[in-house]
Amino acid sequence: MHRKHQDVVFALVGIVALMVAVLTFLTLFVNMAVDGLPRLDWHFFTSFPSRRATQAGILSAWVGSTLVMLVTAFFAVPLGVASGIYLEEYARKSWVTDLIEINITNLAGVPSIVYGLLALGLFVYQFGLGQSILSAGLTLALLILPVVIVATREAIRSIPQVIREGSYALGATRWQTVRYHILPYSSAGILTGIIIGMARAIGETAPIITIGALTFIAFLPPAPLKAEPPFVSFDWLMSPFTVMPIQMFNWTSRPEAAFQDNAAAAGFVLVFMTLAMNGLAIWLRYRLRRNIKW
Amino acid sequence: MAKATAALHGTAYLASRRARHIRERLIEVLLFFAALISVVTTVAIVYVLVKESVVFFEQVPLRDFLTDRQWTPLFDDAHFGIVVLLSGTLTSSFVALAVAIPLGTIIAIYLSEFAPYRLREMVKPVLEMLGGVPTIVYGYFALLFVTPLLQKVMPGLPGFNLLSAGLVMGIMIIPYVSSISEDAMRAVPMALREGSYAMGATRFQTATRVVVPAAFSGIASAYILGISRAVGETMILAVAGGMQPNLTFNPLEPAATITAYIVQVALGDLPHGSVGYQTIFAAGLTLMLFTLACNLAGHVLRKRFREAY
Amino acid sequence: MANEHASKQYDLDLGAIRTRVLQMGGLVESQIRRAIDGLASGDLAALEQVIDDDHRVNAMEVALDGDTSHLIVRRQPAASDLRMIFAIAKTVTDLERIGDEAQKMARMAKAIHERGAAPLPPAVDVRHAAEAAIAMLRRSLDAFARLDCEAAQGVIRDDAGLDAEFRAILRQLITFMMEDPRTISTALEIVWIAKAIERIGDHAKNMAEYVIYIVRGTDVRHTRSPQPGA
Amino acid sequence: MANEHASKQYDLDLGAIRTRVLQMGGLVESQIRRAIDGLASGDLAALEQVIDDDHRVNAMEVALDGDTSHLIVRRQPAASDLRMIFAIAKTVTDLERIGDEAQKMARMAKAIHERGAAPLPPAVDVRHAAEAAIAMLRRSLDAFARLDCEAAQGVIRDDAGLDAEFRAILRQLITFMMEDPRTISTALEIVWIAKAIERIGDHAKNMAEYVIYIVRGTDVRHTRSPQPGA
Amino acid sequence: MMEQLLATKAEARSLSFYYGDFQALKGISMPVHERQVTALIGPSGCGKSTFLRCFNRMHDLYPGNRYDGQIILQPDNTDLLARSIDPIDVRMRIGMVFQKPNPFPKTVFENVAYGLRVRGERSRRAVEEKVEQALHDAALWDEVKERLHQPAYNLSGGQQQRLCIARALATDPELLLFDEPTSALDPIATASIEELMHDLKKRVTILIVTHNMQQAARVSDFTAYMYLGELVEFGVTDELFIKPQKKQTEDYITGRFG
Amino acid sequence: MMEQLLATKAEARSLSFYYGDFQALKGISMPVHERQVTALIGPSGCGKSTFLRCFNRMHDLYPGNRYDGQIILQPDNTDLLARSIDPIDVRMRIGMVFQKPNPFPKTVFENVAYGLRVRGERSRRAVEEKVEQALHDAALWDEVKERLHQPAYNLSGGQQQRLCIARALATDPELLLFDEPTSALDPIATASIEELMHDLKKRVTILIVTHNMQQAARVSDFTAYMYLGELVEFGVTDELFIKPQKKQTEDYITGRFG
């Protein structure tokens, strides 16, 4: 019967399609590894950028990325989780919540470069924060806010309504229900969303470029911890900075092949980091699915 | 029972009840303000884009902006024809979608309906990682691997071109299309599939006649998300597509997209408040409106899909 | 909507059982009639037949009890259905006992005729009483068929008349026996026949009471003054 | 596991009904005994009491029938439970009829003693037959209580003996009547008492047959040669 | 059973309920007798669950719902639906068991203790005692005493439902609502829950919704038949099932409903 | 009813079934009589659904499943489980109705026509005739004839289930499998499905899994009681429910199962 052959044919087509995607990814990874791995040594991580390709490193880039991520997480996580909780557990159906809802869906789809324009107009000039770590962190925080909110909502939504009703039926208040049930049961899902959001933020280039981050930074921001009281300092927030993807972009744009190897090396580190974070998130989600069966 | 009565009316209880009310109310207000941040963000985006664009359109008539066939904002003889940037954007997006939609759909159907469980569990994370790779890395790949490769086949291909950028962008978008499509197909209840198989249908018949139609609005919203991604994608094009404005629909040529133009301007040293500075906001507004339309359409479709089950 | 026939099968099952109850009633009625005809005509073969046919009544009782259990298991009857099933289970017992009484009548009639004794005059009254009992039985079956409370109450009222008739026959027979002790054996056999007829009336009354139970859900048994003694 | 007591309430309900059936049986048994004692002693008040107490038997029948319906509605019995319920519904009818027979015995005994007639000699045999009937009733109730098929079969066997005893008494009474026609009224009253005793035996046998139905699921009624005629 | 002699634990008085514009309950008045099981039956959509969920103000969780009329809870004559009454206070007195077993993904112990924790009980001794007592009362103690600190999800469906009952019992509710508590269980687990209900009614008043008429007949002392949001008939269960007063009830009970 | 006189439509012979290492069915042998309703009952997890789903090789859809033994389908004496037999061919002959109504998200008409389309039927007339006939047979025609081209989801639950029955009937199956077909329906819809089953058995052999013993008693001619993957007792329904041969069956039927 010929209709049974369709199955075999389509299965083959499917595998081919899958191979195209997966093989492209592998090629990319191998290609970058081949070009970049020779440059990856201790020196590469502890050196500032340089005009000489072989002496250049990514010290200022990874420190900058780390600090920006700190700021991003500091703002995006509490805000994202709180709004997710509000929308799922508190909001009553009204035009305000409808608005917030559509708005978040839309924000999730706004191109990252538009966030860059927002930051340029608002943070850099209007608020006068300049081209600082704080500006970048805030920008990326807004960028991944929808990711965190959506992940939080999905995680919360997967908790069956009967669990909530069970809690309320025992006389619990809304906040008690959230604290004792909603948050604990959705925490793994929320964490997954946060990690994925951070992985996205760490690789974002366009908005950082738009706010005008410098590409050639041969110094580190002021240290957050000091020897003398008050021991902590927030000066680093206002410091100029660079981040990994910008460093890579910079090297990619150079015509010399040696810099392009640097780009490959930086790219390799970047891909490795994002893959590790994504992998962690995927593993978390897998465990989550295995542990909780509503 | 007497205890319950006392519990309802005892003064100590009343006090604790008031405390409870206040605490609950406070928490709700805090959470509400957190949720409001996202609205504030949108308002801020619109405010910034519109504010600068208004200044821009005071100097450049909207008519010129829409009809002029040149984009030379930084020349002395400045032209502001957005069509030029749009052509690059549309061409690269078209190439990307020509790759992503067929492949993404086939992969989704294959994974959801054909692949053995183990293969699916292995492949899905790999695909998701594909979507997690920073776009600058894809840009690097397009410029330094795909373009040289293509040049071996097409010797005349310029170093910067929309084709290789579009192809790589297509690969990048596959996971978005395939994973949302697959989710939509997975959400089709097993009972429907079993119903079809029980009627004597083959896998292919079940997939194409029952599962895909049932998941259609979900799949459509995946496509729309893909379009929105392609249009908004920046770094691949900035790196591999070339940055010079070029009114063309030929993917073999280099051309600037809206996003690439913004990057180009941002990299330069444009003074705050100049017309050049304002052009990027006008371009950004165009981009924003386009993706907004896509997102709303996708939202509506997804919502309809959710309601079906 | 399709629901109008949602319990078609159930109604069919119930209807089938009711029909079989009525069939059993018909058989039992013919048994009584043939026994009383045999008493008058002395047709021994016919009487023999009545005695033999009792196994058919018995078989119907067993079968109907089986059907009733099956219906309970299959349908978990409630409300009027349950009352119907319950009443049928009880009615079937009464019908079988009526069958037994008919058999006894035939046996006595056979004994009388075999001995060749001339029937005693009260035999006429016995026939009259038997007709009354048959009428009661028939009316209680009718009441059952039509779930007619009025008719059922009529049957219950009539039972007192039949009892009176029985006592009159008994007095007559005692007189005969006293006048001519040689008739005692035959008279006693006629007493048993009369007694059987009186019992048939009692059973018919029971059945009528079940009909009222089916329709109204009230148990009217034993609700009036104690019945006159046998 | 908790399931061991999953049907505790059901068992309790069933048990309660069975207990009440046995109580009804006990009441009925005492009715017979008091009637037969009254026949011997001529204690009119006691006989009056028996006649009056029949309403208690009747009330128990109505109540037990109600319980049975309720159990069917509540529990949708199947298998042995259904057979039990079904048998109880039938048994209760038999018990009530035994109660009726006891009442009739008391009524006849009262009539005999009110007339002041000297009891006829067969009264002794009647007492013996009554004891046998009581024993049958008690054993069938025992068989019901213990769901003992062997005992039930014993009861069924014994019924033939009781029937024979009844026929012997009848023959004796006929002789008396023929010898002295003045005794006819009294003799006839004793005939009714003997007949009641014979019927009690029949009912006990029915009950025993239900016990076998409960235990084995087979309907043993009407399975042997036709019973000896009354 | 003398209906007149029983105390009333709760009483609905002309209770109407609206989901937005849709009137789901139409002027229902009926008593819930103390320490008796009252069953609500009727076809899907007749409003029986809606009615049940008025008793613990569950509808307050969702917007657009409106009550009209009263539910008076005894002995203190409180109108549960009054605006001045906080739904949380209502739920403190009235427990509920749901259609599907819904234990929290916590340990067995924590599930039962939850109601106490919500009420601010801090003494560990008191909590432990109450938990044990509640598990005893729910006929579950012997089965779970060895694994109090294991996840509740390891229990079987029937055990989970009894755990939910224990959870409700731990806070000494005056009235316990059961919303089709066995519809997700197999016949064996169903039997054990029904048995348990029978034991519980010595201590607590029970109101149960069931779509299984036989179950209503088995477990309840009183039955209310509802149709299209109205109370058609209320009465002693045995009577209602053998001799219903209304033709509608009769038709439903005998399966001739169309 | 003379069991011996009935033709056998299908027969399981020493059928065992494994989910991976777990043996879910243990050497089951029993007949399915032609144009009769055969019910499978037993507690949850007894393997009754697993057994049912062997008849149309539904287990082949999932990996790691293994059959052992035979299911012989008459009149052609085919072993449904043979390796040489394509499960699709089996499903062409054997229809199935599921626990929850699962109409496809298409119109009423297209749902019923689906089986024909899958079989490559192209004649529009033929399809229309068959669809109408199937809807008649499923006692649904009068209710849907005005809205054949509306989405099937607009129908009520009971109608959807009858639509699924019509869908299965359209391809003239020889054997129809019902997997707890009314467990998601209310009593009224349940009654109509049961009624329908009774009408259908004049034309098609029916095998039904139900966890509702009363339903098995109502609709079936033969009943098989299963426990822990084994067939405990098979017999004529009336006899099995009034006089079961095995103590285990008796205990289950009377609710004393522990």
PDB file of all heavy atoms in Angstrom, chain E residues 188-211:
ATOM      1  N   ILE E 188     -12.965   0.447  44.852  1.00  0.00           N
ATOM      2  CA  ILE E 188     -12.491   0.025  46.169  1.00  0.00           C
ATOM      3  C   ILE E 188     -12.181   1.238  47.026  1.00  0.00           C
ATOM      4  O   ILE E 188     -12.607   1.336  48.177  1.00  0.00           O
ATOM      5  CB  ILE E 188     -11.256  -0.876  46.003  1.00  0.00           C
ATOM      6  CG1 ILE E 188     -11.685  -2.136  45.257  1.00  0.00           C
ATOM      7  CG2 ILE E 188     -10.654  -1.218  47.344  1.00  0.00           C
ATOM      8  CD1 ILE E 188     -10.575  -2.787  44.507  1.00  0.00           C
ATOM      9  N   ALA E 189     -11.440   2.171  46.432  1.00  0.00           N
ATOM     10  CA  ALA E 189     -11.141   3.395  47.176  1.00  0.00           C
ATOM     11  C   ALA E 189     -12.436   4.138  47.485  1.00  0.00           C
ATOM     12  O   ALA E 189     -12.606   4.702  48.572  1.00  0.00           O
ATOM     13  CB  ALA E 189     -10.200   4.279  46.361  1.00  0.00           C
ATOM     14  N   THR E 190     -13.374   4.101  46.552  1.00  0.00           N
ATOM     15  CA  THR E 190     -14.661   4.747  46.770  1.00  0.00           C
ATOM     16  C   THR E 190     -15.345   4.162  47.998  1.00  0.00           C
ATOM     17  O   THR E 190     -15.841   4.898  48.859  1.00  0.00           O
ATOM     18  CB  THR E 190     -15.566   4.540  45.535  1.00  0.00           C
ATOM     19  OG1 THR E 190     -14.938   5.146  44.415  1.00  0.00           O
ATOM     20  CG2 THR E 190     -16.929   5.151  45.759  1.00  0.00           C
ATOM     21  N   ALA E 191     -15.340   2.849  48.087  1.00  0.00           N
ATOM     22  CA  ALA E 191     -15.987   2.200  49.218  1.00  0.00           C
ATOM     23  C   ALA E 191     -15.345   2.656  50.533  1.00  0.00           C
ATOM     24  O   ALA E 191     -16.044   2.926  51.515  1.00  0.00           O
ATOM     25  CB  ALA E 191     -15.888   0.687  49.076  1.00  0.00           C
ATOM     26  N   SER E 192     -14.013   2.782  50.528  1.00  0.00           N
ATOM     27  CA  SER E 192     -13.379   3.151  51.794  1.00  0.00           C
ATOM     28  C   SER E 192     -13.699   4.593  52.170  1.00  0.00           C
ATOM     29  O   SER E 192     -13.869   4.913  53.348  1.00  0.00           O
ATOM     30  CB  SER E 192     -11.869   2.899  51.743  1.00  0.00           C
ATOM     31  OG  SER E 192     -11.239   3.871  50.963  1.00  0.00           O
ATOM     32  N   ILE E 193     -13.834   5.460  51.170  1.00  0.00           N
ATOM     33  CA  ILE E 193     -14.201   6.845  51.469  1.00  0.00           C
ATOM     34  C   ILE E 193     -15.644   6.899  51.986  1.00  0.00           C
ATOM     35  O   ILE E 193     -15.961   7.617  52.941  1.00  0.00           O
ATOM     36  CB  ILE E 193     -14.056   7.739  50.216  1.00  0.00           C
ATOM     37  CG1 ILE E 193     -12.626   7.730  49.697  1.00  0.00           C
ATOM     38  CG2 ILE E 193     -14.530   9.158  50.506  1.00  0.00           C
ATOM     39  CD1 ILE E 193     -11.656   8.539  50.462  1.00  0.00           C
ATOM     40  N   GLU E 194     -16.498   6.128  51.376  1.00  0.00           N
ATOM     41  CA  GLU E 194     -17.894   6.135  51.817  1.00  0.00           C
ATOM     42  C   GLU E 194     -18.009   5.627  53.252  1.00  0.00           C
ATOM     43  O   GLU E 194     -18.760   6.177  54.067  1.00  0.00           O
ATOM     44  CB  GLU E 194     -18.741   5.258  50.891  1.00  0.00           C
ATOM     45  CG  GLU E 194     -18.933   5.892  49.520  1.00  0.00           C
ATOM     46  CD  GLU E 194     -19.736   5.011  48.586  1.00  0.00           C
ATOM     47  OE1 GLU E 194     -20.172   3.919  48.998  1.00  0.00           O
ATOM     48  OE2 GLU E 194     -19.928   5.419  47.432  1.00  0.00           O
ATOM     49  N   GLU E 195     -17.242   4.589  53.517  1.00  0.00           N
ATOM     50  CA  GLU E 195     -17.226   4.033  54.866  1.00  0.00           C
ATOM     51  C   GLU E 195     -16.782   5.100  55.872  1.00  0.00           C
ATOM     52  O   GLU E 195     -17.369   5.279  56.934  1.00  0.00           O
ATOM     53  CB  GLU E 195     -16.234   2.865  54.870  1.00  0.00           C
ATOM     54  CG  GLU E 195     -16.418   1.895  55.985  1.00  0.00           C
ATOM     55  CD  GLU E 195     -17.714   1.121  55.810  1.00  0.00           C
ATOM     56  OE1 GLU E 195     -18.181   0.966  54.653  1.00  0.00           O
ATOM     57  OE2 GLU E 195     -18.259   0.704  56.827  1.00  0.00           O
ATOM     58  N   LEU E 196     -15.724   5.802  55.445  1.00  0.00           N
ATOM     59  CA  LEU E 196     -15.171   6.831  56.312  1.00  0.00           C
ATOM     60  C   LEU E 196     -16.204   7.924  56.583  1.00  0.00           C
ATOM     61  O   LEU E 196     -16.355   8.395  57.724  1.00  0.00           O
ATOM     62  CB  LEU E 196     -13.933   7.418  55.632  1.00  0.00           C
ATOM     63  CG  LEU E 196     -13.250   8.579  56.326  1.00  0.00           C
ATOM     64  CD1 LEU E 196     -12.838   8.180  57.735  1.00  0.00           C
ATOM     65  CD2 LEU E 196     -12.027   9.008  55.534  1.00  0.00           C
ATOM     66  N   MET E 197     -16.918   8.303  55.541  1.00  0.00           N
ATOM     67  CA  MET E 197     -17.930   9.344  55.708  1.00  0.00           C
ATOM     68  C   MET E 197     -18.943   8.918  56.765  1.00  0.00           C
ATOM     69  O   MET E 197     -19.388   9.717  57.591  1.00  0.00           O
ATOM     70  CB  MET E 197     -18.653   9.547  54.377  1.00  0.00           C
ATOM     71  CG  MET E 197     -18.333  10.862  53.744  1.00  0.00           C
ATOM     72  SD  MET E 197     -19.284  11.053  52.242  1.00  0.00           S
ATOM     73  CE  MET E 197     -18.153  10.389  51.083  1.00  0.00           C
ATOM     74  N   HIS E 198     -19.275   7.649  56.707  1.00  0.00           N
ATOM     75  CA  HIS E 198     -20.247   7.133  57.667  1.00  0.00           C
ATOM     76  C   HIS E 198     -19.730   7.258  59.101  1.00  0.00           C
ATOM     77  O   HIS E 198     -20.476   7.607  60.020  1.00  0.00           O
ATOM     78  CB  HIS E 198     -20.564   5.676  57.333  1.00  0.00           C
ATOM     79  CG  HIS E 198     -21.766   5.180  58.047  1.00  0.00           C
ATOM     80  ND1 HIS E 198     -21.692   4.583  59.286  1.00  0.00           N
ATOM     81  CD2 HIS E 198     -23.067   5.236  57.722  1.00  0.00           C
ATOM     82  CE1 HIS E 198     -22.907   4.275  59.674  1.00  0.00           C
ATOM     83  NE2 HIS E 198     -23.770   4.652  58.741  1.00  0.00           N
ATOM     84  N   ASP E 199     -18.436   6.985  59.281  1.00  0.00           N
ATOM     85  CA  ASP E 199     -17.864   7.115  60.623  1.00  0.00           C
ATOM     86  C   ASP E 199     -17.778   8.578  61.045  1.00  0.00           C
ATOM     87  O   ASP E 199     -17.983   8.924  62.202  1.00  0.00           O
ATOM     88  CB  ASP E 199     -16.450   6.508  60.666  1.00  0.00           C
ATOM     89  CG  ASP E 199     -16.492   4.996  60.465  1.00  0.00           C
ATOM     90  OD1 ASP E 199     -17.580   4.414  60.633  1.00  0.00           O
ATOM     91  OD2 ASP E 199     -15.447   4.420  60.133  1.00  0.00           O
ATOM     92  N   LEU E 200     -17.467   9.434  60.070  1.00  0.00           N
ATOM     93  CA  LEU E 200     -17.226  10.841  60.393  1.00  0.00           C
ATOM     94  C   LEU E 200     -18.484  11.545  60.872  1.00  0.00           C
ATOM     95  O   LEU E 200     -18.413  12.500  61.646  1.00  0.00           O
ATOM     96  CB  LEU E 200     -16.696  11.585  59.166  1.00  0.00           C
ATOM     97  CG  LEU E 200     -15.239  11.319  58.823  1.00  0.00           C
ATOM     98  CD1 LEU E 200     -14.869  12.092  57.575  1.00  0.00           C
ATOM     99  CD2 LEU E 200     -14.354  11.742  59.988  1.00  0.00           C
ATOM    100  N   LYS E 201     -19.623  11.092  60.399  1.00  0.00           N
ATOM    101  CA  LYS E 201     -20.807  11.878  60.691  1.00  0.00           C
ATOM    102  C   LYS E 201     -21.164  11.852  62.173  1.00  0.00           C
ATOM    103  O   LYS E 201     -22.013  12.633  62.605  1.00  0.00           O
ATOM    104  CB  LYS E 201     -21.982  11.466  59.803  1.00  0.00           C
ATOM    105  CG  LYS E 201     -22.655  10.198  60.198  1.00  0.00           C
ATOM    106  CD  LYS E 201     -23.884  10.007  59.324  1.00  0.00           C
ATOM    107  CE  LYS E 201     -24.603   8.749  59.730  1.00  0.00           C
ATOM    108  NZ  LYS E 201     -25.705   8.417  58.835  1.00  0.00           N
ATOM    109  N   LYS E 202     -20.504  10.984  62.921  1.00  0.00           N
ATOM    110  CA  LYS E 202     -20.720  11.047  64.369  1.00  0.00           C
ATOM    111  C   LYS E 202     -20.185  12.361  64.924  1.00  0.00           C
ATOM    112  O   LYS E 202     -20.598  12.807  65.984  1.00  0.00           O
ATOM    113  CB  LYS E 202     -20.004   9.876  65.054  1.00  0.00           C
ATOM    114  CG  LYS E 202     -20.740   8.557  64.862  1.00  0.00           C
ATOM    115  CD  LYS E 202     -19.812   7.355  65.082  1.00  0.00           C
ATOM    116  CE  LYS E 202     -20.341   6.161  64.321  1.00  0.00           C
ATOM    117  NZ  LYS E 202     -19.282   5.298  63.774  1.00  0.00           N
ATOM    118  N   ARG E 203     -19.216  12.962  64.218  1.00  0.00           N
ATOM    119  CA  ARG E 203     -18.544  14.124  64.775  1.00  0.00           C
ATOM    120  C   ARG E 203     -18.773  15.403  63.983  1.00  0.00           C
ATOM    121  O   ARG E 203     -18.618  16.499  64.523  1.00  0.00           O
ATOM    122  CB  ARG E 203     -17.035  13.864  64.851  1.00  0.00           C
ATOM    123  CG  ARG E 203     -16.698  12.557  65.559  1.00  0.00           C
ATOM    124  CD  ARG E 203     -15.267  12.535  65.999  1.00  0.00           C
ATOM    125  NE  ARG E 203     -14.367  12.682  64.862  1.00  0.00           N
ATOM    126  CZ  ARG E 203     -13.651  13.757  64.608  1.00  0.00           C
ATOM    127  NH1 ARG E 203     -13.704  14.791  65.422  1.00  0.00           N
ATOM    128  NH2 ARG E 203     -12.884  13.806  63.564  1.00  0.00           N
ATOM    129  N   VAL E 204     -19.073  15.267  62.712  1.00  0.00           N
ATOM    130  CA  VAL E 204     -19.120  16.470  61.904  1.00  0.00           C
ATOM    131  C   VAL E 204     -20.287  16.368  60.907  1.00  0.00           C
ATOM    132  O   VAL E 204     -20.661  15.268  60.483  1.00  0.00           O
ATOM    133  CB  VAL E 204     -17.756  16.692  61.188  1.00  0.00           C
ATOM    134  CG1 VAL E 204     -17.391  15.510  60.323  1.00  0.00           C
ATOM    135  CG2 VAL E 204     -17.736  17.952  60.370  1.00  0.00           C
ATOM    136  N   THR E 205     -20.844  17.508  60.606  1.00  0.00           N
ATOM    137  CA  THR E 205     -21.930  17.554  59.630  1.00  0.00           C
ATOM    138  C   THR E 205     -21.328  17.483  58.231  1.00  0.00           C
ATOM    139  O   THR E 205     -20.293  18.098  57.976  1.00  0.00           O
ATOM    140  CB  THR E 205     -22.704  18.874  59.794  1.00  0.00           C
ATOM    141  OG1 THR E 205     -23.100  18.974  61.161  1.00  0.00           O
ATOM    142  CG2 THR E 205     -23.923  18.897  58.906  1.00  0.00           C
ATOM    143  N   ILE E 206     -21.960  16.728  57.369  1.00  0.00           N
ATOM    144  CA  ILE E 206     -21.393  16.528  56.033  1.00  0.00           C
ATOM    145  C   ILE E 206     -22.393  16.927  54.957  1.00  0.00           C
ATOM    146  O   ILE E 206     -23.571  16.584  55.027  1.00  0.00           O
ATOM    147  CB  ILE E 206     -20.966  15.052  55.841  1.00  0.00           C
ATOM    148  CG1 ILE E 206     -19.765  14.726  56.747  1.00  0.00           C
ATOM    149  CG2 ILE E 206     -20.618  14.762  54.386  1.00  0.00           C
ATOM    150  CD1 ILE E 206     -19.314  13.285  56.698  1.00  0.00           C
ATOM    151  N   LEU E 207     -21.885  17.668  53.983  1.00  0.00           N
ATOM    152  CA  LEU E 207     -22.686  18.021  52.808  1.00  0.00           C
ATOM    153  C   LEU E 207     -21.908  17.519  51.604  1.00  0.00           C
ATOM    154  O   LEU E 207     -20.733  17.858  51.443  1.00  0.00           O
ATOM    155  CB  LEU E 207     -22.882  19.541  52.746  1.00  0.00           C
ATOM    156  CG  LEU E 207     -23.777  20.102  51.641  1.00  0.00           C
ATOM    157  CD1 LEU E 207     -25.184  19.540  51.724  1.00  0.00           C
ATOM    158  CD2 LEU E 207     -23.846  21.630  51.741  1.00  0.00           C
ATOM    159  N   ILE E 208     -22.530  16.695  50.791  1.00  0.00           N
ATOM    160  CA  ILE E 208     -21.787  16.073  49.701  1.00  0.00           C
ATOM    161  C   ILE E 208     -22.516  16.242  48.370  1.00  0.00           C
ATOM    162  O   ILE E 208     -23.735  16.084  48.296  1.00  0.00           O
ATOM    163  CB  ILE E 208     -21.534  14.572  49.983  1.00  0.00           C
ATOM    164  CG1 ILE E 208     -20.892  13.894  48.766  1.00  0.00           C
ATOM    165  CG2 ILE E 208     -22.801  13.839  50.402  1.00  0.00           C
ATOM    166  CD1 ILE E 208     -20.538  12.440  48.990  1.00  0.00           C
ATOM    167  N   VAL E 209     -21.730  16.586  47.348  1.00  0.00           N
ATOM    168  CA  VAL E 209     -22.255  16.601  45.982  1.00  0.00           C
ATOM    169  C   VAL E 209     -21.827  15.304  45.324  1.00  0.00           C
ATOM    170  O   VAL E 209     -20.667  14.908  45.441  1.00  0.00           O
ATOM    171  CB  VAL E 209     -21.663  17.783  45.184  1.00  0.00           C
ATOM    172  CG1 VAL E 209     -21.827  17.557  43.694  1.00  0.00           C
ATOM    173  CG2 VAL E 209     -22.318  19.073  45.598  1.00  0.00           C
ATOM    174  N   THR E 210     -22.736  14.635  44.661  1.00  0.00           N
ATOM    175  CA  THR E 210     -22.334  13.447  43.917  1.00  0.00           C
ATOM    176  C   THR E 210     -23.179  13.328  42.669  1.00  0.00           C
ATOM    177  O   THR E 210     -24.346  13.707  42.654  1.00  0.00           O
ATOM    178  CB  THR E 210     -22.460  12.174  44.774  1.00  0.00           C
ATOM    179  OG1 THR E 210     -22.222  11.036  43.954  1.00  0.00           O
ATOM    180  CG2 THR E 210     -23.827  12.043  45.424  1.00  0.00           C
ATOM    181  N   HIS E 211     -22.554  12.846  41.591  1.00  0.00           N
ATOM    182  CA  HIS E 211     -23.368  12.618  40.393  1.00  0.00           C
ATOM    183  C   HIS E 211     -23.779  11.157  40.335  1.00  0.00           C
ATOM    184  O   HIS E 211     -24.393  10.713  39.383  1.00  0.00           O
ATOM    185  CB  HIS E 211     -22.634  13.044  39.124  1.00  0.00           C
ATOM    186  CG  HIS E 211     -21.427  12.220  38.813  1.00  0.00           C
ATOM    187  ND1 HIS E 211     -20.159  12.719  38.871  1.00  0.00           N
ATOM    188  CD2 HIS E 211     -21.289  10.926  38.486  1.00  0.00           C
ATOM    189  CE1 HIS E 211     -19.306  11.765  38.577  1.00  0.00           C
ATOM    190  NE2 HIS E 211     -19.957  10.665  38.340  1.00  0.00           N
TER     191      HIS E 211
END
